[in-house]
């Protein structure tokens, strides 16, 4: 099997599982319990919080453990917007993940917020000048993703955050796909809040983090026992938090080298695919501006085929990839991301996303490119 769907999820790293194991077995206490077992769990949780804070460059008290990227986005958006007294206007982009778009839509429907959705250009980029024009004195929150899950475009977060700072508007970024590939230092990004998800990083599913700067008010979404400084009630997933911290630290330790190596492999792969299938369209940022694209993303449309049929053909050859994004359950709809890039529906139905991991090799990618050519011929002749 060749797994090229790392943007959907990743396997748990052995070191991560080993770090988690004691907390799932002997050292299984509840961090709120006032006995040795509870205190030991609390120490483990505090340690994990400090490790995450060290990678992000924030205070340990800014780290809120959640159940994953979706919860982090929900908490950031609802929590920051509802706590902010300055108004009821939100700025976001057209290519956000559903966890962001649906949270924003909830605020619109239920709480009467007004929403400005920034368009993107044909590469998927938000225009900083358009962002500047969208921000208003009553803007409560600006939420723009760091890197997109379908086409890998990396947004100019620091520039948009600087605009928000001038107007004292809280800024959140969904950094779920960026983690492990791009710098996450919160001071350099200049944002107030940042969402992360464990299972994209070699930690298990069901653990995530929201970083939210202490000076910002945050209305909780989950009410209960007041864990996580009242920001997220519920008995903490101690083993998950320890696993997350371990995975994030490991990913950060070799991030720069890995990103460089993967960018090169990805570029060779893209060139190979476009040579073998000249009709293919490389979607997202295509020019030399590699820094505007996640190192591990290669997404294409293959006009004259269907993305689903290509996936089946590639699957028969043991290649696992995705027809766009795996994040929306059973969705047959055309991707809102590709539509926002100006790709018409018929072409968008032919999208296939390949997302590399640190373990992907040049030999694997050569084999995949050859299989893409074969699959394209097979599916294209059927559809044509
Ligand atoms: N945000 C982005 C950009 C994603 O790609 C995903 C998942 O694919 C999420 C949020 C949701 O994360 P989770 O699966 O941890 O809920």
């Amino acid at each position: 099997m060749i797994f090229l769907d790392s943007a959907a999820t990743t396997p748990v790293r052995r070191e991560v599982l080993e770090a988690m194991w004691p907390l799932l077995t002997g050292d299984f206490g509840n961090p709120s319990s006032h006995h040795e077992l509870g205190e030991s769990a609390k120490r483990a949780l505090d340690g994990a919080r400090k490790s995450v804070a060290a990678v992000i460059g924030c205070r340990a008290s800014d780290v809120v453990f959640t159940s994953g990227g979706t919860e982090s986005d929900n908490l950031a958006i609802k929590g920051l917007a509802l706590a902010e007294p300055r108004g009821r206007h939100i700025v976001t982009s057209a290519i956000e993940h559903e966890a962001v778009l649906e949270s924003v839509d909830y605020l619109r429907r239920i709480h009467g917020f007004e929403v400005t959705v920034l368009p993107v250009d044909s590469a998927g980029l938000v225009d900083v000048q358009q962002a500047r024009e969208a921000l208003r004195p009553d803007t409560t929150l600006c939420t723009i993703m760091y890197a997109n899950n379908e086409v890998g475009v990396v947004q100019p977060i620091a520039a948009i955050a600087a605009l928000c700072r001038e107007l004292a508007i809280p800024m959140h970024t969904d950094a779920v796909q960026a983690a492990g590939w791009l710098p996450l230092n919160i001071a350099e990004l200049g944002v107030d809040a940042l969402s992360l998800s464990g299972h994209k990083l070699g930690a298990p599913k069901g653990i995530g983090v929201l970083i939210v700067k202490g000076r910002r008010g945050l209305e909780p979404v989950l009410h209960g026992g007041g864990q996580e400084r009242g920001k997220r009630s519920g008995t903490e997933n101690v083993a998950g938090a320890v696993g997350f911290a371990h995975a994030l630290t490991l990913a950060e330790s070799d991030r720069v080298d890995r990103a460089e190596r993967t960018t090169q492999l990805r570029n060779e792969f893209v060139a190979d695919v476009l040579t073998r299938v000249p009709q293919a369209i490389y979607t997202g940022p295509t020019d030399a501006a590699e820094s505007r694209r996640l190192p591990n993303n290669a997404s294409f449309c293959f006009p004259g085929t269907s993305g689903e049929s290509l996936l089946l053909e590639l699957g028969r050859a043991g290649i696992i990839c995705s027809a766009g994004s795996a994040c929306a359950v059973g969705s047959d709809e055309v991707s809102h991301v590709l539509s926002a890039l100006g790709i018409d529906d018929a072409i968008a139905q032919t999208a296939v996303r390949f997302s590399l991991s640190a373990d992907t090799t040049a030999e694997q990618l050569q084999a995949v490119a050859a299989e893409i050519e074969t699959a394209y011929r097979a599916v294209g002749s059927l559809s044509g």
Side-chain angles (χ1 to χ4, degrees), residues 7-8 68-71 73 97 99 145 147 149 174 176-177 197 199-200 327:
T70 298
E71 188 189 329
D73 285 342
H97 188 268
M145 76 200 313
N149 42 307
D174 174 338
V176 166
Q177 292 292 339
S197 170
H199 73 102
K200 313 285 184 181
C327 306

Side-chain angles (χ1 to χ4, degrees), residues 6-9 66-73 95-100 145-150 174-178 195-200 204-208 325-328 353:
S6 300
T9 199
T66 67
S67 65
T70 298
E71 188 189 329
S72 296
D73 285 342
I95 63 165
E96 299 296 311
H97 188 268
E98 286 80 359
V100 167
M145 76 200 313
Y146 193 176
N148 180 263
N149 42 307
E150 292 186 40
D174 174 338
V176 166
Q177 292 292 339
S195 300
L196 299 168
S197 170
H199 73 102
K200 313 285 184 181
K205 294 160 189 65
I207 183 74
S325 128
C327 306
R353 175 189 71 185

Side-chain angles (χ1 to χ4, degrees), residues 250-323:
L250 283 172
E252 185 59 20
S253 66
D254 64 349
R255 178 177 57 76
V256 175
D257 288 350
R258 184 159 34 82
E260 220 176 274
R261 192 179 67 85
T262 308
T263 300
Q264 195 176 338
L265 285 179
R266 189 272 317 280
N267 290 350
E268 286 162 12
F269 172 62
V270 170
D272 198 1
V273 172
L274 294 175
T275 307
R276 289 172 179 276
V277 185
Q279 299 87 338
I281 302 166
Y282 186 40
T283 51
T286 50
D287 54 17
E290 278 159 17
S291 59
R292 296 262 64 101
R293 186 173 194 123
L294 278 176
N296 69 330
N297 174 288
S299 46
F300 301 89
C301 287
F302 294 97
T305 67
S306 102
E308 288 298 337
S309 318
L310 278 176
L311 278 202
L312 278 177
E313 282 297 314
L314 292 171
R316 283 195 197 105
I319 296 160
I320 298 187
C321 52
S322 151

